[in-house]
Amino acid sequence: MSTDHRPARRMVLLAVLALAGCASAGDKATAPTGRADFADIPYADWSDYEPPYRFYPGDELEIALPSAPELNKTLTVQPDGRVAPGLTPPVMAADRTIAEVQAALAESFSTVLLRPDVYVTAKAAPLKVFVGGEVGNPGIYDMAGDADALRAVVQAGDFKPTADRSRVIIIRRGPDGVGMMRRANLLRGLRSSSADLVPLRRFDIVYVPRSGVAALGIVVQQYFRDLSPIGFSYALGDQPR
């Protein structure tokens, strides 16, 4: 659980900007009022697409070099988003897929090895989700087991009395980096066995709006727009090595 929520809020902003910045035209199929509420940020249709694994600071990865097995080791993604293989300069890993990190490491090792083939394996990592809005403790949370939106909210300090539990927003990176958005009625989750709890994926964003808000899309956008400036040395999307 996050203890300093300012960095967590900044990571929420990073994730939202990455999703919104690369979004293509389209709206969520399961939200009948999505077009009106989210006119400024087009989202792709929601699907069960499984996003590729992307590294996050604190994650561990194993590298194997068949031509130089003495260089095989386990690396940790540092707070600045990089991994340090030792023989070559640090390489950016945060928000990169396994294939992208492999390619970056191979290019880096090509300066010192004739056959710089690198194989990267991600070690088991917790499911990280971003929870914001009308919850007790907004932030980044590690979730064990099968996580869903209601469990994420409870782990983030539960709903505030001002929360609109019936219109919780879920944002996920979809195919080709296009953002997907849907709503979930978590109020029904407390009263019914047929709850719309929404199983979560790594780096999903769960946003709980304030009750009584009509222009929900504007409020959500304003929430992220008002966050503190990004305090990380890397950004989602195009990154330096």
Side-chain angles (χ1 to χ4, degrees):
M1 182 182 298
S2 174
T3 55
D4 181 356
H5 299 297
R6 288 173 299 177
R9 287 165 63 84
R10 290 169 184 160
M11 281 303 298
V12 175
L13 174 61
L14 280 168
V16 171
L17 290 179
L19 292 174
C22 59
S24 65
D27 297 286
K28 182 187 73 66
T30 57
T33 58
R35 181 178 300 277
D37 279 354
F38 283 82
D40 292 340
I41 300 180
Y43 289 87
D45 291 339
W46 185 270
S47 72
D48 291 328
Y49 167 77
E50 182 72 46
Y53 185 93
R54 290 178 181 271
F55 291 103
Y56 182 88
D59 287 352
E60 291 187 337
L61 57 93
E62 294 179 348
I63 64 170
L65 294 90
S67 64
E70 67 278 7
L71 298 179
N72 296 353
K73 62 176 61 177
T74 299
L75 304 177
T76 300
V77 183
Q78 300 303 309
D80 67 354
R82 292 172 167 78
V83 291
L87 191 62
T88 62
V91 169
M92 178 58 67
D95 196 49
R96 284 184 167 179
T97 64
I98 292 174
E100 290 169 341
V101 173
Q102 275 186 177
L105 285 168
E107 182 177 345
S108 181
F109 276 113
S110 68
T111 61
V112 294
L113 298 175
L114 291 176
R115 296 189 301 278
D117 295 332
V118 183
Y119 296 94
V120 172
T121 304
K123 301 189 72 173
L127 179 72
K128 291 185 180 293
V129 298
F130 310 90
V131 188
E134 299 298 298
V135 295
N137 298 293
I140 305 172
Y141 288 86
D142 294 340
M143 310 214 46
D146 295 328
D148 59 55
L150 182 58
R151 284 185 54 200
V153 169
V154 171
Q155 191 163 333
D158 216 333
F159 295 101
K160 288 183 177 181
T162 52
D164 184 344
R165 307 181 186 201
S166 66
R167 295 194 298 167
V168 175
I169 300 297
I170 315 295
I171 299 176
R172 176 176 300 165
R173 189 197 303 250
D176 300 321
V178 177
M180 302 186 297
M181 184 277 292
R182 64 158 294 178
R183 293 180 189 160
N185 184 346
L186 299 189
L187 178 63
R188 188 174 62 187
L190 303 176
R191 301 176 177 175
S192 170
S193 59
S194 59
D196 183 24
L197 299 183
V198 188
L200 297 179
R201 308 281 172 81
R202 186 172 166 90
F203 299 142
D204 278 0
I205 297 167
V206 179
Y207 177 79
V208 180
R210 183 182 295 269
S211 60
V213 174
L216 181 57
I218 296 174
V219 173
V220 173
Q221 293 177 48
Q222 188 65 43
Y223 171 82
F224 295 119
R225 189 178 298 122
D226 289 344
L227 294 181
S228 301
I230 296 169
F232 293 85
S233 60
Y234 62 89
L236 302 185
D238 294 332
Q239 301 163 329
R241 291 188 184 85

